[in-house]
Amino acid sequence: MTKTKLPMWLIASVVLSALIASYSCYKRYQVESENKATSLAVEFENVESLASAQGISMDRALIDLKAQGVNALVLSEGTVGELLARGQATLQSTSWQIPKGSKSEIEPMTTLTFTDVTQLPRAERGLRIRFQNLANRLKGRSANTLDLPPVSAMLVRTTPIGLDPQQVDVSKRNGMMIVARCANPPGVSEEGVKQTLHWVHDMGASVFLPEGDQVLGRRDAIKTTVETLKELSMYYATPEFAKIGGDVNVVEAAPENVIRLHSAQIAELDKLTFADAVDRFAKASRERNMRILLIRPFTLASQGPSSSLAFFIKRINEQIEKEGGAIGLPKPFHEPSLPRFFQILLGLAIAPSVWFCVATFVNNRTIRLAGAVLIALLGLACAVRIGLHAMAFLASISFPFLGFLVADELEMPTMPRWLQPLPAFLLICFFSLLGGICVAGLLNGLSFYVKADEFKGIKVQVFLPILAVGYLYMSRLGNIRKIMNSSINWSSVVLGLVILGMLGFMIARTGNDTGASASDGEVVFRGILDRVMFVRPRTKEFLIGHPLLIVGLGLLFFLKSSKSQDEVNESGEPDNRGQQLAGWAALAMMVGSMGQTDIVNTLCHLHVPIALSVVRIGLGALLGCIIGLAIWTIVLRLLPKAEA
């Protein structure tokens, strides 16, 4: 593979892509800047339990929590079983003699008797919603009893009966936004879904949160759930990391109604320090655009349990405001104001750069021409979802590689050798950043902000450019055929296995939901970085990828400017040191390119605020530069002094 001169049309394509993609990202930044208010929510049952343990009223506890920023209460539907447990009702199985002609039959009958008659209308409404066609059997024999449909007592006990009116009154009295949590009872009908949502809305709920492992209406009535939420102008809270059946369907169908919610179970909080727990919630707001934080007690054992919860929330509030966020009522994101043809224009601007990278590996004129036509058609296909994702994927793998092609053209004979890798490194980083910005510019819309849609092919995007860079420099600095035909030695096998292991582990760790979790030491190290830096850069970028790339570039320029490859040893035979350096340079460039694919990958997380992603990339590049130049300076002293 020989060097390829960079044509002017390629430069024009890069500049045009940068301008269009940057404008698109700016419109996304505007949308994100307009929606920074985060709501702090707590569960009514938790507050009630802690307040009772501390010996204070619910109103007093809510006043204290509201002073620390709490502005929402999560209320769960009650059940008939809860009325029975509190002694507000009793369930009795009796028999009823029904006349039928000249004979009479005895039919089993279940009676619900209320000691608290204020709960009767609530229970009756819930039973009618649950049993629908059987509800005509539901009638009262007296002012405090209900004769129930012919269903088992267990089904009666588990029947949802709406929000507790007393909890609703307390919430409204303290100026709290009500988040209604409803389950998906077996057999619920479409009409039952409608009535359930209308009921909680009539009681004052403005946000719906699923309870259990399924959304209300899952599966066949999920459309009814979406339509009813829209009709009532209720927001849907989608819990982060939770695996809830039907959640994806609702988010995809109505992203304009979606608010993302973050919470942590008490078991999860138990594994964290107080500072880490505070940091977890603050970063969910700042780094992942979570607009509702559902906060549970950090500790259940305390001299003042309710006061401890208030102190925990106070620290979260302070951390959010310290990091530039705000506390307030949540709202959904909206679409950026971009022209409809904008993504097509960006796709066409990107197409020449993509073709140039592909053509680097193809010499056949016919295949090159066919590739150019296909890539141009993909640019036009950005009007539809599949074309948009295809072009975003091509941009994500092409621009980092293009950076290496451009940097390979640089000649800097006048610069000090220890500084020679820096301009090339910055140039490659610029192209990788441009690749990420092109992805963010193409995949710019409401569905991406709420994770109803995501960048596809994240693992291939990380892995493929590394292979391409390795092939590029092995071709230019050595003879691949000769290397492949040479005998295998143990050192090569071990080195190859180490590299494959590193790349495999990196691929396993790529993405949000991976099976490879961070070690305890890595978690501690990340925590330190989080505390001392504005935003934590990716570890494998500034500790591995960027430093290795700088060393590789340094070796590359060293080989260009020296005659070490042509030297002979004292016996008059060719010296292999130059070939060895070329092999190490190619290897360092290949492994070091993982930092560049990570730059693109950072911007492929489309639910993360784009300004934060750019700052994270900049900090990683800065730290990587410092570490890399320090290592290269040491390596340079160990290299043979070759004649320039």
Side-chain angles (χ1 to χ4, degrees):
M1 185 183 294
T2 58
K3 288 186 181 181
T4 307
K5 295 296 182 182
L6 305 177
M8 288 301 299
W9 56 262
L10 177 64
I11 298 173
S13 169
V14 169
V15 172
L16 187 60
S17 300
L19 291 174
I20 299 175
S22 296
Y23 179 75
S24 178
C25 291
Y26 170 70
K27 301 303 289 186
R28 171 179 157 187
Y29 170 76
Q30 283 186 319
V31 172
E32 292 171 340
S33 299
E34 294 169 1
N35 189 4
K36 288 189 175 182
T38 301
S39 176
L40 303 184
V42 290
E43 293 165 313
F44 191 98
E45 290 82 0
N46 280 337
V47 178
E48 187 177 40
S49 176
L50 297 180
S52 299
Q54 190 168 324
I56 62 176
S57 68
M58 186 65 180
D59 285 301
R60 178 70 261 171
L62 287 178
I63 290 171
D64 294 341
L65 291 173
K66 190 172 182 180
Q68 308 310 327
V70 173
N71 56 10
L73 276 175
V74 178
L75 308 185
S76 296
E77 283 185 305
T79 62
V80 172
E82 291 175 5
L83 297 182
L84 301 177
R86 291 197 294 262
Q88 294 175 300
T90 59
L91 190 63
Q92 296 176 325
S93 295
T94 60
S95 58
W96 191 257
Q97 196 169 29
I98 301 177
K100 290 191 175 181
S102 59
K103 299 181 180 180
S104 62
E105 292 183 3
I106 296 176
E107 182 175 315
M109 179 67 66
T110 304
T111 302
L112 193 59
T113 303
F114 293 87
T115 55
D116 180 358
V117 294
T118 62
Q119 300 295 329
L120 190 150
R122 178 187 175 201
E124 182 178 5
R125 184 171 182 178
L127 289 164
R128 290 189 182 280
I129 291 174
R130 176 74 187 279
F131 298 113
Q132 296 290 319
N133 294 333
L134 294 175
N136 59 347
R137 296 290 305 274
L138 185 64
K139 57 184 178 180
R141 284 186 291 164
S142 64
N144 67 334
T145 63
L146 284 175
D147 290 337
L148 304 179
V151 295
S152 71
M154 181 57 69
L155 288 178
V156 173
R157 288 176 179 273
T158 58
T159 297
I161 54 173
L163 304 181
D164 188 330
Q166 292 182 348
Q167 294 183 0
V168 171
D169 289 343
V170 172
S171 302
K172 291 181 177 178
R173 187 163 63 241
N174 288 277
M176 296 289 179
M177 178 182 75
I178 297 176
V179 179
R181 177 182 279 162
C182 301
N184 187 40
V188 64
S189 65
E190 291 186 6
E191 185 61 30
V193 169
K194 289 181 182 179
Q195 291 181 21
T196 298
L197 292 175
H198 275 275
W199 193 1
V200 295
H201 175 264
D202 292 344
M203 297 191 76
S206 57
V207 180
F208 168 73
L209 173 65
E211 182 168 31
D213 55 6
Q214 288 190 339
V215 175
L216 176 66
R218 169 76 169 175
R219 302 180 179 253
D220 294 344
I222 200 74
K223 183 179 179 182
T224 303
T225 302
V226 173
E227 291 174 349
T228 306
L229 288 172
K230 288 182 178 180
E231 174 192 340
L232 298 173
S233 299
M234 285 184 70
Y235 299 146
Y236 174 78
T238 173
E240 187 183 28
F241 304 136
K243 304 297 183 183
I244 298 177
D247 176 72
V248 172
N249 304 93
V250 178
V251 173
E252 289 179 348
E256 69 279 4
N257 264 39
V258 169
I259 296 176
R260 302 189 72 208
L261 177 147
H262 177 79
S263 66
Q265 299 295 332
I266 292 177
E268 294 178 274
L269 293 174
D270 194 49
K271 299 176 183 178
L272 303 175
T273 66
F274 185 84
D276 288 337
V278 170
D279 193 58
R280 168 174 172 152
F281 283 101
K283 281 188 165 40
S285 170
R286 177 190 181 217
E287 297 187 1
R288 300 192 301 282
N289 280 329
M290 296 295 140
R291 298 285 72 104
I292 298 179
L293 302 180
L294 175 53
I295 304 170
R296 296 184 171 93
F298 179 74
T299 177
L300 297 178
S302 172
Q303 189 67 26
S306 182
S307 299
S308 294
L309 176 60
F311 180 74
F312 181 40
I313 292 172
K314 177 183 179 182
R315 288 288 179 261
I316 294 172
N317 187 343
E318 291 173 347
Q319 187 69 16
I320 290 174
E321 293 183 345
K322 179 182 177 182
E323 294 180 354
I327 303 300
L329 294 178
K331 63 179 180 180
F333 287 95
H334 62 81
E335 292 282 3
S337 54
L338 288 170
R340 296 185 64 180
F341 63 86
F342 199 83
Q343 288 163 317
I344 299 176
L345 186 62
L346 179 54
L348 292 174
I350 293 169
S353 298
V354 173
W355 179 85
F356 185 84
C357 292
V358 174
T360 304
F361 297 93
V362 179
N363 293 322
N364 185 284
R365 182 181 178 87
T366 303
I367 297 177
R368 282 189 172 195
L369 181 60
V373 173
L374 178 61
I375 293 170
L377 290 175
L378 281 177
L380 291 171
C382 286
V384 296
R385 183 174 180 270
I386 188 171
L388 201 62
H389 279 280
M391 185 55 74
F393 173 75
L394 291 176
S396 73
I397 61 176
S398 297
F399 278 99
F401 181 72
L402 183 59
F404 284 90
L405 293 178
V406 174
D408 200 45
E409 296 291 320
L410 295 180
E411 299 284 350
M412 288 162 293
T414 59
M415 290 188 70
R417 275 186 167 172
W418 71 272
L419 200 57
Q420 283 182 350
L422 184 58
F425 170 76
L426 295 176
L427 186 61
I428 293 172
C429 286
F430 165 76
F431 275 91
S432 298
L433 177 64
L434 177 56
I437 288 176
C438 285
V439 172
L442 282 169
L443 307 182
N444 186 9
L446 178 58
S447 60
F448 297 101
Y449 305 159
V450 298
K451 291 195 75 174
D453 202 353
E454 298 180 89
F455 175 78
K456 310 298 182 184
I458 197 78
K459 293 185 183 292
V460 179
Q461 173 268 313
V462 170
F463 190 63
L464 195 57
I466 296 175
L467 294 181
V469 170
Y471 179 80
L472 173 70
Y473 284 99
M474 286 180 185
S475 299
R476 291 185 175 176
L477 298 177
N479 189 321
I480 289 184
R481 290 185 179 179
K482 183 178 178 181
I483 293 173
M484 297 299 293
N485 292 328
S486 62
S487 59
I488 299 176
N489 55 60
W490 282 109
S491 60
S492 300
V493 171
V494 172
L495 181 61
L497 290 175
V498 169
I499 294 172
L500 286 175
M502 289 176 58
L503 293 177
F505 182 70
M506 182 183 70
I507 297 301
R509 290 285 300 276
T510 300
N512 289 325
D513 302 318
T514 66
S517 59
S519 64
D520 292 341
E522 188 176 356
V523 170
V524 172
F525 181 63
R526 288 179 176 183
I528 294 172
L529 293 178
D530 280 327
R531 288 180 178 82
V532 301
M533 293 186 173
F534 175 73
V535 61
R536 175 178 58 82
R538 290 190 164 192
T539 308
K540 61 180 179 286
E541 275 185 38
F542 77 91
L543 280 184
I544 301 175
H546 294 340
L548 274 178
L549 180 55
I550 287 179
V551 171
L553 288 167
L555 290 173
L556 187 65
F557 287 115
F558 180 85
L559 290 170
K560 282 183 179 181
S561 60
S562 69
K563 298 180 181 179
S564 59
Q565 287 178 288
D566 300 326
E567 290 180 350
V568 296
N569 58 25
E570 294 178 355
S571 303
E573 296 177 354
D575 194 342
N576 292 325
R577 287 178 301 174
Q579 295 179 0
Q580 292 175 350
L581 286 179
W584 284 111
L587 181 61
M589 296 287 284
M590 175 183 173
V591 180
S593 63
M594 73 166 64
Q596 302 305 308
T597 60
D598 243 25
I599 288 176
V600 181
N601 180 257
T602 296
L603 286 162
C604 290
H605 289 75
L606 303 166
H607 59 287
V608 177
I610 192 164
L612 203 69
S613 294
V614 172
V615 173
R616 173 175 279 123
I617 290 169
L619 283 175
L622 176 61
L623 291 175
C625 269
I626 295 171
I627 297 171
L629 288 175
I631 296 174
W632 167 238
T633 302
I634 297 172
V635 171
L636 188 59
R637 292 179 178 275
L638 302 176
L639 294 176
K641 295 186 181 297
E643 182 183 351

